[in-house]
Amino acid sequence: MQLNEIWFLIVGFLFIGYFVLDGFDFGVGMSLPFLGKDDTDRRVLINTIGPVWDLNETWVIVAGASLFAAFPEWYASLFSGFYLPLLLILLALIVRGVAFEYRGKGKTVGANEVVWKRNFDWMIVIGSAVPSLLWGVAFANIVQGVPLNEQHVYTGTIFTLLNPYGLLGGLVTLTLFWTHGLMFIALKTDGDIKDRASKLATKVGIVCTGLAAAFLTWTLISHWSVLGFILSAVAAVTLISGLIANYFKREGIAFSFIVVTIITAVGSLFSALFPNVFPSSTNPAFSLTIENASSSQYTLTVMTWVAIIMIPLVLLYQGWTYWVFRNRISRKSIPAGSH
Amino acid sequence: MFASPESEKLMHAAISAVLTELSPLDLSRWQFGITTVYHFLFVPLTIGMVFLVAILQTAWYRTQNEKFLKLTKLFGKIFLINFAIGVVTGIVQEFQFGMNWSDYSRFVGDIFGAPLAMEGLLAFFFEATFIGLWIFGWDRLSKGLHLATIWMTALGVVLSAYFILAANSFMQNPVGFEINEAKNRAELVDIGAVLTNIVALNQFPHTITASFMFAGAVMVGISAYHLKRNQQVAAMGTSLKLGLWTVIVGGLGTVLSGDGLGLAMVQTQPMKMAAAEALYNTAAPASFSIFTWGTPDGKSELFSVRIPNLLSFLSTHTLDGKVEGLNDLQAQYVAAYGPGDYMPVIWITYWAFRWMIGLGMLSILIAAVGLVLTRKNNFALPKWAWNIAIWASPIPVLAISLGWLFTEMGRQPWLVFKLMKTSAGVSPGINGVDVLISLIAFTLVYAVLAVIEMRLLLAAAQAGIEEPKKTESADHLAVAY
């Protein structure tokens, strides 16, 4: 296997890791207005992801940096081409991140606590929904191809990206991350809030199944491959199995199924893309591929060693974190009278 | 709205003329400058404070004295308020290279991406994970293990700083690369050379020790606020002393490493050192001016206060060493790289360099006087003394910002010194309106966040170690939000 192929897999792995991990953070954030009847509920919800949202978000930084190191041309064309969508994602991640930290601290500065928390809660909701939608729009467009000129420079506008396939991709990630988050809530909480999360997961999950089926079929028709078919089929089966397990209150199994759904669904997009990394809709000859977008052999060799040593370690200590914080959180866990 | 269709047409023509005049290059430079300076207001406090918190927690672990636990929690809170904003503004930094500087990314990505990706895989994951364990792990981990998590975070923070500085140093002093003519890019040939770049080796201790100064000064300021009111004296006296010593030790480290950095700069970027002094003509020996009053065009001076031989000493460690002047260097660069203006904006480099040194020295001086005044734990000082300590807290961060302005503005017109000009690095596909939108959006959001952040920091600082009593949760779950 060539080093640039290995790095295509590593970049795919890092983005999949990001979507699996920050995906449920986004889902929890979007659920605040639907499941959070009062402040205690909302604090239960936020605390399910409290210890981990920051390290989950770190995955996008590492994915972006790895893209830069291994495929600088891809990174340069993609990030400058998708300028405004990425701006929106950045602004959303900023307001969401600080909102988690600041929402409980209104009392310390003598602000009206109700207004203060309401504002930050909305920042969490919007800051979760916007990236959930836009990552899907972005990845669908990467697979579909965008207008790139001979220098691999994007020549479209933001409206070029808002095409039916791109928007459908966005709705899939929006509903998929939401379902994922709801199942995470069901797994991590107890009592009434768990039941409500589970019920909402069924509803959102059914909508998601329909959208995902349409999107993956569309992808297969335009980019047929056996691997893509297998991955899409596994994604569909695990999504439905996850919903069934959720219906029968098997939260752990349901959540695990959705994790597999995200891995295989995003995996099917990467398989549809290969060996391109950023196809040009202007002229296929202008496309970026794993050949013409990659770094030199030397850089890829150095980075492969770093990745081979570090990724297992990262998985180990991050896994340990999830183990430390494995307990369920309920209304009882929220100390009364504190922030 | 308009008197006639003609005036409406004129208006539209004027607006589109303004919009097409918007230069993505200038706007991108402003955006990078604003977001980077802003990001680096928080980073040095994070770097310094994580160590101070780790030291306080170690003291508590060793002595079991409650005072240290309370201080750990207080300064831990200051650290965390700051950490969140540092993380989210850091993502912007990484994305901007691709968004606004895609031609730069294409040209150096083979080299520049490597330390960034190493930072992510080796350091950033590490600190993000262990900081989560530290915040939420108070009741979950054994005391020893919990203490280890803050030290692990500290390790991640310095590693992170090292890789980022190695990447930055490549822009100041490109090493370990070859130009691939066919691909029209610079390619990595020696990662060891990139990671042991002489600029990085000097920049790293300079950045870390300056960060200690800032964290120390903040600790002094918070302690002084309470000592002035004669409250929480036992604990705040301890943190005052720790803060003062941190400023002194960090300050001496900053001076020493700054000296090394100066020598490295003369070796690698002589134009920057000449610009630091606004030395137009080569001189041996060269003097250092504390203050200059010049003609408005900055080309000739009317009055100055000078220390003889100092610039020679800073540049060569000899009293009469030759320091090359801007005009000679300009001529050399024209000969080597073709016609063009190779001087940075001199008034910025000149004054930023002076104020950086002056403010850093002032901070050390204040800390030294503070140590003398409070010897034998005498905390009965007049109010004005405490006020100076409080208002002196931001001095190091001003010096740090000016230092970075000097470093990066002094690199101009180069984006990568001798390899690529800043004007050649901007993304060809972006238009001025898009960048104007992002520039305004970042500036507004950052301004609002700064206000909220300051209010929260001040509130936490003023509350000090007296926390509102918390009812323990029934099942000791880790909840922090």
Side-chain angles (χ1 to χ4, degrees), chain A residues 43 47 53 57-58 61 73 75 77 83 100-102 294-296 298-299 317-318 321 324 328 333 336 339, chain B residues 84 91 94 98-100 106 110 124-126 128-129 136 140 185 188 191 438 453 456 459 471 477 480-481:
Chain A
R43 290 186 56 200
N47 276 294
W53 74 265
E57 188 169 296
T58 309
I61 301 180
E73 289 278 338
Y75 167 79
S77 293
Y83 192 89
F100 284 138
E101 292 300 328
Y102 294 170
S294 79
S295 282
S296 63
Y298 177 79
T299 299
Y317 63 67
Q318 294 203 353
T321 301
V324 169
R328 286 182 189 263
S333 341
H339 58 72
Chain B
I91 308 179
E94 184 200 273
M99 290 168 70
N100 295 70
R106 284 180 217 282
D110 195 72
F124 204 52
F125 265 151
F126 199 75
T129 306
F136 292 85
R140 287 305 186 81
R185 68 177 182 188
L188 184 63
I191 184 71
S438 63
E453 158 99 5
L456 290 172
T471 28
L477 273 173
Y481 293 126

Side-chain angles (χ1 to χ4, degrees), chain A residues 7 14 43 46-47 49-55 57-66 68-69 72-77 79-84 86-87 89-91 93-95 97-98 100-106 108-111 116 120 123 135 151-154 288 291-299 302-303 306-307 310-311 314 317-318 320-321 323-330 332-339, chain B residues 28 31 77 80-85 87-106 108-133 135-137 140-141 145 149 183 185 187-192 427-430 434-435 437-439 441-442 445-446 449 452-453 455-456 459-460 469-475 477-481:
Chain A
W7 273 92
L14 291 169
R43 290 186 56 200
I46 292 169
N47 276 294
I49 53 171
V52 293
W53 74 265
D54 182 24
L55 79 93
E57 188 169 296
T58 309
W59 279 72
V60 76
I61 301 180
V62 179
S66 299
F68 196 175
E73 289 278 338
W74 185 9
Y75 167 79
S77 293
F79 278 52
S80 60
F82 291 7
Y83 192 89
L84 289 178
L86 285 173
L87 171 68
I89 287 175
L90 285 174
L91 293 172
L93 293 181
I94 291 172
V95 297
V98 296
F100 284 138
E101 292 300 328
Y102 294 170
R103 85 176 284 282
K105 298 194 168 76
T108 65
V109 296
W116 175 278
F120 280 109
M123 283 161 70
W135 282 122
Q151 282 74 44
H152 315 299
V153 174
Y154 179 76
L288 283 171
E291 293 296 332
N292 66 8
S294 79
S295 282
S296 63
Q297 282 298 306
Y298 177 79
T299 299
V302 171
M303 291 315 301
V306 175
M310 291 316 298
I311 288 178
V314 167
Y317 63 67
Q318 294 203 353
W320 179 58
T321 301
W323 174 251
V324 169
F325 299 114
R326 66 193 176 278
N327 286 27
R328 286 182 189 263
I329 294 172
S330 66
K332 304 196 297 256
S333 341
I334 305 294
S338 74
H339 58 72
Chain B
S28 293
Q31 181 176 305
K77 204 184 291 166
L80 290 175
I81 292 172
N82 201 57
F83 186 79
I85 199 162
V87 170
V88 292
T89 55
I91 308 179
V92 177
Q93 294 311 104
E94 184 200 273
F95 277 39
Q96 271 190 105
F97 293 116
M99 290 168 70
N100 295 70
W101 303 97
S102 66
D103 272 1
Y104 165 77
S105 303
R106 284 180 217 282
V108 298
D110 195 72
I111 303 148
F112 193 81
L116 291 192
M118 287 181 185
E119 191 253 356
L121 285 165
L122 274 150
F124 204 52
F125 265 151
F126 199 75
E127 64 183 271
T129 306
F130 284 99
I131 194 65
L133 282 163
I135 303 169
F136 292 85
R140 287 305 186 81
L141 303 171
L145 197 54
T149 61
K183 291 205 150 186
R185 68 177 182 188
E187 289 187 349
L188 184 63
V189 293
D190 186 354
I191 184 71
S427 301
I430 55 173
D434 287 356
V435 189
I437 291 170
S438 63
L439 173 60
F442 282 129
V445 170
Y446 279 16
L449 289 184
I452 300 172
E453 158 99 5
R455 285 177 68 190
L456 290 172
K469 244 196 150 67
K470 274 189 189 165
T471 28
E472 282 297 310
S473 56
D475 43 357
L477 273 173
V479 286
Y481 293 126

Side-chain angles (χ1 to χ4, degrees), chain B residues 133-323:
Chain B
L133 282 163
W134 185 75
I135 303 169
F136 292 85
W138 283 96
D139 303 325
R140 287 305 186 81
L141 303 171
S142 71
K143 275 184 184 168
L145 197 54
H146 186 255
L147 175 64
T149 61
I150 190 76
W151 282 107
M152 295 294 244
T153 308
L155 179 67
V157 166
V158 285
L159 270 178
S160 178
Y162 191 83
F163 286 113
I164 297 298
L165 290 171
N168 176 268
S169 298
F170 182 81
M171 302 166 78
Q172 317 289 346
N173 176 39
V175 289
F177 73 97
E178 260 172 19
I179 298 291
N180 180 333
E181 299 284 351
K183 291 205 150 186
N184 189 24
R185 68 177 182 188
E187 289 187 349
L188 184 63
V189 293
D190 186 354
I191 184 71
V194 170
L195 294 179
T196 56
N197 190 329
I198 182 170
V199 177
L201 293 179
N202 287 285
Q203 190 86 267
F204 175 70
H206 198 53
T207 307
I208 299 293
T209 48
S211 301
F212 273 104
M213 285 181 78
F214 182 32
V218 168
M219 189 173 267
V220 169
I222 292 172
S223 310
Y225 175 88
H226 295 283
L227 291 169
K228 176 182 162 188
R229 288 162 179 75
N230 206 17
Q231 60 199 19
Q232 309 173 6
V233 173
M236 289 301 170
T238 305
S239 55
L240 180 84
K241 285 292 176 76
L242 176 62
L244 288 171
W245 277 111
T246 307
V247 175
I248 302 265
V249 174
L252 293 177
T254 311
V255 171
L256 286 173
S257 56
D259 177 52
L261 186 57
L263 293 179
M265 186 168 75
V266 172
Q267 263 180 49
T268 55
Q269 293 168 288
M271 183 68 99
K272 201 190 273 184
M273 189 51 131
E277 173 55 31
L279 179 74
Y280 280 89
N281 297 311
T282 302
S287 61
F288 183 89
S289 59
I290 306 275
F291 178 87
T292 302
W293 182 257
T295 53
D297 66 359
K299 299 268 170 176
S300 51
E301 72 177 55
L302 303 173
F303 170 77
S304 65
V305 181
R306 306 189 151 267
I307 302 176
N309 304 70
L310 184 59
L311 187 65
S312 284
F313 184 75
L314 289 177
S315 307
T316 64
H317 273 197
T318 60
L319 287 177
D320 53 1
K322 184 172 93 168
V323 182

Side-chain angles (χ1 to χ4, degrees), chain B residues 318-393:
Chain B
T318 60
L319 287 177
D320 53 1
K322 184 172 93 168
V323 182
E324 287 184 295
L326 291 162
N327 292 329
D328 292 326
L329 289 164
Q330 164 72 19
Q332 284 172 31
Y333 287 6
V334 167
Y337 310 109
D341 184 359
Y342 294 94
M343 294 188 198
V345 184
I346 303 298
W347 67 267
I348 294 180
T349 52
Y350 179 85
W351 288 111
F353 191 68
R354 262 144 205 79
W355 279 94
M356 170 190 77
I357 295 175
L359 289 172
M361 296 294 182
L362 178 64
S363 195
I364 299 173
L365 179 72
I366 292 172
V369 172
L371 268 184
V372 173
L373 290 179
T374 57
R375 68 187 183 282
K376 293 180 190 155
N377 286 337
N378 165 31
F379 298 121
L381 298 184
K383 280 220 160 71
W384 60 262
W386 294 123
N387 285 335
I388 289 176
I390 293 167
W391 288 100
S393 330

